[in-house]
Amino acid sequence: MMRESIALDPLRRRWARRVGAVLLGLAVWTAAAPSMGRDAAEPPRDIQGWIARLHEATRNRAYSGTYVVTRGSEIASARIAHVCDGRQQIERIEALSGPARVTWRRDDEVMTLMPERQWAVRDRRELLRLFPGPLKVPGIDVADFYRAELRGSERLAGFDAWVVEFLPKDALRYGYRIWSEKRTGLALKLQTLDGSAQVLEQVAFTELQIDAPLRLDVLARQMEDTRGYHIERPTLRKTTLEAEGWRLRAEVPGFRPVTCWQRVEESNRPRSPLQCVFSDGLASVSLFFPAGDGTSVNQVRAGATHMLSRRVAGQLVVALGEVPPQTLERFLGVLERSR
């Protein structure tokens, strides 16, 4: 089960994160959007301004469209419908390639339906709050680790967009190139860049309708219609790395703990699966502590996502994130048992 979780969550996040988190996750912040007047077309002057613009883009706004994810020779597509009324957001994402899968999200409640198996997994996951991350990670100023540079403007999917790059100031994180629609701020395309500015992965809308005629109550009723499905509802307990007997003996520069959950199981296993997430305000790293005593130690890469596993104090630990592999090495190198 843990191996499946490790395999599925990164893909789900990648579908969700890219395009400046327009896709699954950006609209979890619910403050009222500013009016979009003539000044909205002016590009921000610094990275904090750009992050705020990306966050504000989906509030009080409905949109629908089709987007494509490209990772090397792999191409996948999905259809999204998103509604936010300034207080609550609901979105539906349907995979158009690969296994049939529909992912619903209502604020932090996530439900994934697998029609071929008539199976659904439903839980609340703060763990999906990813790029461009929360507006503020305590103790972190994004400007200390990234800078923004405007690269001009282009027309994409029928919209005029500013092109901006978020450039890292060290080798522990990747850069991003973003196409932000001039009127609303919606991210139309996002590329993840390595240290040589090579594209590791990209997400782009091929078709988009902004201010689509979608109703939140209609999507809510559709989300609740799970007739014929077996619903799995994992029980999660919020905790901390330290409370579970672990600590980082040294800081990984720029990364702070965001959230940590342990799956509560009824089995007689000596440990329950644990996942702790760290963020620098843009990128994130997850540390997974599987329940079993697995022996697999490996390194896997899929686009910009790296996964590295190592045995620490007798426990298999998996580090995963959209960061360079040396960042995961740093996390696993400073992780230790505290009791």
Side-chain angles (χ1 to χ4, degrees), residues 172-292:
L172 294 178
R173 51 211 102 229
Y174 287 134
Y176 306 95
R177 184 180 296 130
I178 305 165
W179 284 251
S180 177
E181 202 268 327
K182 288 187 175 181
R183 181 177 66 89
T184 64
L186 280 170
L188 307 176
K189 179 178 177 179
L190 185 143
Q191 295 176 335
T192 305
L193 311 174
D194 66 12
S196 301
Q198 298 299 307
V199 178
L200 298 173
E201 179 174 314
Q202 77 171 19
V203 179
F205 275 109
T206 57
E207 175 270 326
L208 174 65
Q209 182 180 5
I210 298 177
D211 298 326
L214 300 171
R215 290 175 47 185
L216 191 144
D217 61 331
V218 172
L219 285 183
R221 286 197 299 270
Q222 294 175 357
M223 180 178 178
E224 295 302 322
D225 186 6
T226 56
R227 288 171 294 181
Y229 279 82
H230 172 80
I231 309 296
E232 178 184 344
R233 300 175 185 268
T235 302
L236 301 176
R237 178 178 64 86
K238 200 163 188 177
T239 183
T240 65
L241 192 67
E242 292 74 15
E244 302 308 316
W246 296 90
R247 69 182 179 188
L248 300 181
R249 66 174 178 270
E251 175 187 297
V252 178
F255 288 89
R256 292 287 189 275
V258 176
T259 190
C260 194
W261 291 92
Q262 186 170 55
R263 183 185 294 267
V264 179
E265 297 184 332
E266 297 179 357
S267 66
N268 294 322
R269 293 177 178 177
R271 296 185 297 267
S272 295
L274 175 70
Q275 180 182 0
C276 297
V277 179
F278 300 79
S279 175
D280 67 359
L282 292 182
S284 69
V285 171
S286 287
L287 295 180
F288 293 90
F289 299 77

Side-chain angles (χ1 to χ4, degrees), residues 246 270-271 289-297 310-317 335-337 339:
W246 296 90
R271 296 185 297 267
F289 299 77
D293 295 319
T295 58
S296 175
V297 178
R310 179 178 297 168
R311 193 164 293 279
V312 179
Q315 162 79 54
L316 182 66
V317 183
L335 178 67
E336 65 182 12
R337 281 199 181 274
R339 55 178 169 81

Side-chain angles (χ1 to χ4, degrees), residues 4 8 12 93-96 98-103 112-115:
E4 181 182 7
L8 291 179
R12 197 173 298 141
I93 296 175
E94 178 186 4
L96 300 179
R101 185 181 300 271
V102 176
T103 301
T112 303
L113 291 87
M114 292 154 275

